[in-house]
Amino acid sequence: MTPQIAALVNGPKTREAVDAFMAANTFPIVSGSSCTFVWRGDAEAVHLKHWVFGLPSSQQLQRVEGTDVWHLTLQLPEGSRVEYKLEIVRNGHGEWIQDPLNQYRARDPFGANSVAHSTGYAVPSWVHPDPTAAKGHVDEIWIDSNTFGRRGFGLYIPARFRRSRTYPVLVVHDGHDYMRYASLTTILDNLIDRLEIADAIVVLTSSPDRLKEYADDERHAKFLTEELVPYVQRLLPISDAPQNRCLMGASFGAVASLSTAYRYPGVYGRLLLQSGSFAFTDIGDRNPRGPRFDPIVAMINRYRAEPTVVSEKVFVSVGMYESLIYENRSLVPVLMSTGMDVRYVEARDGHNWENWRDRLRDGLSWLLPGPFLHVYE
Amino acid sequence: VPAPRTIALLGPQGATPDVGAVVRELGIKGPIALVSAGYQERESDDAELVAALGVPAVNLTLHARGKHVFKHAPEFTAAYQARQQRLRHMQGFYRTRLDGTEDAARKISLRYVEPELLEQEEKVSVDQFRHMDNDHVERCQAVRAAFDRAWSPDNIEPLAKHRREVRELMATTDALVISGGHVASLLNRLQLFDVLGNVGAKPIIAWSAGAMVLTDRVVLFHDYPPYGSDIAQVLDAGFGLVPGFVVLPDARRRINLDAQAGIQRFARRMAPATCVAMDHGARLIFEDGAVRSARATRLTTTGEAERDWAGEPTRFSTPYLHGIHV
């Protein structure tokens, strides 16, 4: 029990004492490796709901007897970032809410979660808008695809773009979600301005049926390689050197990136794979993740049986608190065995957009480095 | 290229430039030939820089001249770009080899054997780095030499015209000042327009990247790259006007000066050159090829960052490297 809760338990249970406790602390209470979640109010039960693989996903908060304060302490290793909600049970029904005592939120396509930062975690400075950084802009473009019909995509053009130059191209799966939930355009602006990543044209793709199209669907690989990238190349001065072509994605988007490079070896020299849904089986073809994963299992099993060079440099990141850690850890030595240059990063985080956001500097600066190493002013 | 009588290498200028003080100390009245091509597109934003010099200056606009050449000499440009692409690939392959040697050195250093053997193996690792560095510089020079044989600047317009103009401009000046910026870009533009072939015995003042290109070996370094860690790498040969020195600008931000083992290996790798870390306010003044005065941090082969180094000659206390005379 944290000292603050202990003081409340052992002290007077007056309203004034509880008010003083609430006013004196910020929540959750983080001290060393312990993180204490607190909720105040009347309920039959309160549960912490989180997505940390390896811990029970629902844990009950205890009520401080004689008060309306509920608490639960978890041990969170240094540098952890945990997304969660609170379930408030009243009249037998549970309602999931964001933690009203915690200002930190992370948004995603399903809404928003509260976020607990353990000791040692700080939101990176480069994810916030920097007023001194030159800003790129995003255009929305349409392509009439033979494969998928009419499709929209975003096109990030870096600040100080000039037609006389040639640019690398970065194709981002779920690109609009990366913009909305992982601050992608702000990060591109900042890292380009700091010379940490190259000035790049960024293609932001989104799919209306990503669970199918991203799951090793040959149509998707064909669309990207034979239609979308050549189309962008007709619009803008992008390099056709593999070293200057990067595919990126998270979860199923990482699968789509690997699958496309696998189907078109030698075209994409850089891959950024975040929390890839790289499900596989060591025997048989049944996997516990459901039929959506069947084509992925078939692809990864095939690749594990006969690993080949699909790119030059591959950056893989994954959260330690997500179930896919096993699949990603297993893929890395397979990729390395081919001789590709592979860099692998684990973070104390989950399967979420802010984990992917926080790894972008590591990955992009390694795959598409800017001139920081060459500039001495 | 005959060495100019006086060469001053400075640290980064930042918000409070000290280049004007050096101009005055050297008695330069101007006009000065200014090279700010390292700033690339910002080359012509030189008003503050010229003011800091305190004497009239004429910007040689090498970056803009380069763009003009590349726009109007398409065959030359294609060959030039192919050369640069080849050099970039070679840099990447050399870099990959450095990583391999670094990994091997680390693995060996962890073995449970007598310390004397590990010390000897560390020397072998340093020798391997030295071999790769030397080989890389030779190969880069070979690529440049082959290009120069194939493309005589006198036969390429508008390159020949720009070289004439640069020569004529420099003839009207008393000194050459080279700013920092993108070191590869600076190296290439200075070569393309043969600036140092025209400087004669006039004094040169250069800082940061400008100082790096005047040495005989340009070394890229950063202990804190955004992707975590990196190993120093030789970019190419410099112009060799200040031989025997490796200049490391902006050291406070880029070098872990407390990492004794890292400094030791780096200094041994670069020996017998003297490795000099230069922050704002640092300076190295050379007179007729010898250090006249210095205010900088020297990285020693024993792993120290000697912060009050005033230009004493570097001596090596142990004969641990092949080919190094002590």
Side-chain angles (χ1 to χ4, degrees), chain B residues 261-275:
Chain B
I263 288 176
Q264 180 179 58
R265 180 183 286 174
F266 180 77
R268 289 180 173 190
R269 181 177 155 193
M270 297 297 149
T274 300
C275 300

Side-chain angles (χ1 to χ4, degrees), chain A residues 30-109:
Chain A
V30 176
S31 175
S33 61
S34 77
C35 180
T36 300
F37 298 87
V38 172
W39 184 75
R40 185 181 188 187
D42 290 324
E44 290 157 17
V46 181
H47 299 108
L48 177 73
K49 299 286 190 180
H50 62 76
W51 294 268
V52 176
F53 185 71
L55 295 178
S57 60
S58 178
Q59 298 193 44
Q60 189 157 345
L61 278 70
Q62 301 299 313
R63 185 172 193 154
V64 176
E65 202 162 326
T67 74
D68 56 357
V69 174
W70 302 72
H71 67 97
L72 170 70
T73 298
L74 294 183
Q75 296 302 311
L76 292 181
E78 191 172 325
S80 296
R81 192 186 151 283
V82 172
E83 297 194 8
Y84 68 97
K85 279 193 169 82
L86 296 174
E87 182 190 36
I88 312 302
V89 181
R90 293 188 183 105
N91 302 320
H93 296 288
E95 181 191 7
W96 289 36
I97 64 166
Q98 294 157 17
D99 183 347
L101 300 177
N102 181 355
Q103 60 170 318
Y104 294 115
R105 300 277 186 278
R107 294 185 309 124
D108 65 22

Side-chain angles (χ1 to χ4, degrees), chain B residues 207-271:
Chain B
W207 65 85
S208 295
M212 295 166 83
V213 301
L214 296 183
T215 65
D216 48 1
R217 187 168 288 197
V218 178
V219 179
L220 308 178
F221 61 98
H222 209 311
D223 285 346
Y224 313 105
Y227 40 78
S229 64
D230 211 337
I231 184 169
Q233 53 187 300
V234 178
L235 174 69
D236 207 330
F239 291 100
L241 298 186
V242 185
F245 283 82
V246 173
V247 171
L248 307 164
D250 202 11
R252 201 168 294 135
R253 203 171 59 84
R254 301 175 82 115
I255 302 178
N256 181 358
L257 292 172
D258 297 321
Q260 188 176 9
I263 288 176
Q264 180 179 58
R265 180 183 286 174
F266 180 77
R268 289 180 173 190
R269 181 177 155 193
M270 297 297 149

Side-chain angles (χ1 to χ4, degrees), chain B residues 8 10 13-36 39 43 45-60 173-180 203-207:
Chain B
L10 311 181
Q13 293 300 289
T16 54
D18 58 352
V19 63
V22 177
V23 168
R24 287 192 296 278
E25 282 173 34
L26 297 181
I28 297 166
K29 303 294 184 204
I32 279 174
L34 173 63
V35 173
S36 56
Y39 298 146
E43 175 184 59
D45 300 341
D46 60 3
E48 288 183 18
L49 181 51
V50 172
L53 293 174
V55 298
V58 52
N59 195 322
L60 299 181
T173 59
D174 290 344
L176 174 66
V177 168
I178 307 172
S179 77
I204 303 178
I205 303 172
W207 65 85

Side-chain angles (χ1 to χ4, degrees), chain A residues 54-344:
Chain A
L55 295 178
S57 60
S58 178
Q59 298 193 44
Q60 189 157 345
L61 278 70
Q62 301 299 313
R63 185 172 193 154
V64 176
E65 202 162 326
T67 74
D68 56 357
V69 174
W70 302 72
H71 67 97
L72 170 70
T73 298
L74 294 183
Q75 296 302 311
L76 292 181
E78 191 172 325
S80 296
R81 192 186 151 283
V82 172
E83 297 194 8
Y84 68 97
K85 279 193 169 82
L86 296 174
E87 182 190 36
I88 312 302
V89 181
R90 293 188 183 105
N91 302 320
H93 296 288
E95 181 191 7
W96 289 36
I97 64 166
Q98 294 157 17
D99 183 347
L101 300 177
N102 181 355
Q103 60 170 318
Y104 294 115
R105 300 277 186 278
R107 294 185 309 124
D108 65 22
F110 308 104
N113 293 316
S114 295
V115 185
H117 299 164
S118 81
T119 303
Y121 176 85
V123 178
S125 62
W126 41 266
V127 310
H128 303 299
D130 176 354
T132 69
K135 306 288 185 289
H137 68 275
V138 176
D139 292 330
E140 287 298 322
I141 312 279
W142 291 86
I143 178 172
D144 290 312
S145 160
N146 292 327
T147 309
F148 288 134
R150 193 163 170 76
R151 279 269 167 106
F153 64 94
L155 208 50
Y156 172 88
I157 312 291
R160 294 187 281 268
F161 168 80
R162 294 192 308 281
R163 287 209 165 265
S164 58
R165 284 187 53 187
T166 305
Y167 292 83
V169 63
L170 168 66
V171 179
V172 183
H173 291 87
D174 301 312
H176 296 90
D177 284 346
Y178 263 106
M179 282 201 299
R180 276 189 287 265
Y181 308 120
S183 310
L184 179 62
T185 48
T186 299
I187 290 170
L188 291 169
D189 289 341
N190 290 347
L191 298 184
I192 288 173
D193 194 72
R194 294 175 179 206
L195 311 180
E196 293 184 354
I197 65 171
D199 288 23
I201 304 292
V202 181
V203 181
L204 305 152
T205 69
S206 297
S207 164
D209 190 7
R210 64 187 294 280
L211 294 181
K212 178 165 177 49
E213 292 178 7
Y214 286 2
D216 190 36
D217 186 328
E218 66 173 341
R219 296 173 307 157
H220 175 73
K222 184 177 179 185
F223 167 65
L224 284 193
T225 310
E226 299 184 20
E227 296 188 291
L228 185 57
V229 172
Y231 182 70
V232 174
Q233 196 157 21
R234 288 195 291 276
L235 296 176
L236 294 167
I238 63 172
S239 167
D240 55 7
Q243 295 78 19
N244 290 324
R245 289 186 172 189
C246 182
L247 295 176
M248 162 178 148
S251 194
F252 267 52
V255 172
S257 301
L258 180 63
S259 160
T260 301
Y262 192 17
R263 291 175 180 277
Y264 289 88
V267 174
Y268 302 100
R270 304 288 183 266
L271 301 180
L272 200 164
L273 312 177
Q274 300 195 291
S275 302
S277 306
F278 300 126
F280 65 93
T281 57
D282 285 313
I283 186 164
D285 57 4
R286 302 297 300 272
N287 78 91
R289 292 181 181 273
R292 291 287 195 189
F293 280 77
D294 286 348
I296 300 174
V297 169
M299 177 187 89
I300 299 296
N301 283 357
R302 201 163 58 247
Y303 189 72
R304 284 167 57 86
E306 201 169 336
T308 55
V309 174
V310 299
S311 189
E312 288 185 351
K313 295 174 80 170
V314 187
F315 181 91
V316 181
S317 72
V318 67
M320 291 181 190
Y321 303 153
E322 54 179 306
S323 67
L324 286 163
I325 184 97
Y326 168 72
E327 284 80 355
N328 281 267
R329 279 180 181 159
S330 301
L331 182 65
V332 168
V334 178
L335 295 170
M336 284 178 164
S337 71
T338 66
M340 290 187 290
D341 202 355
V342 180
R343 193 166 280 218
Y344 175 58

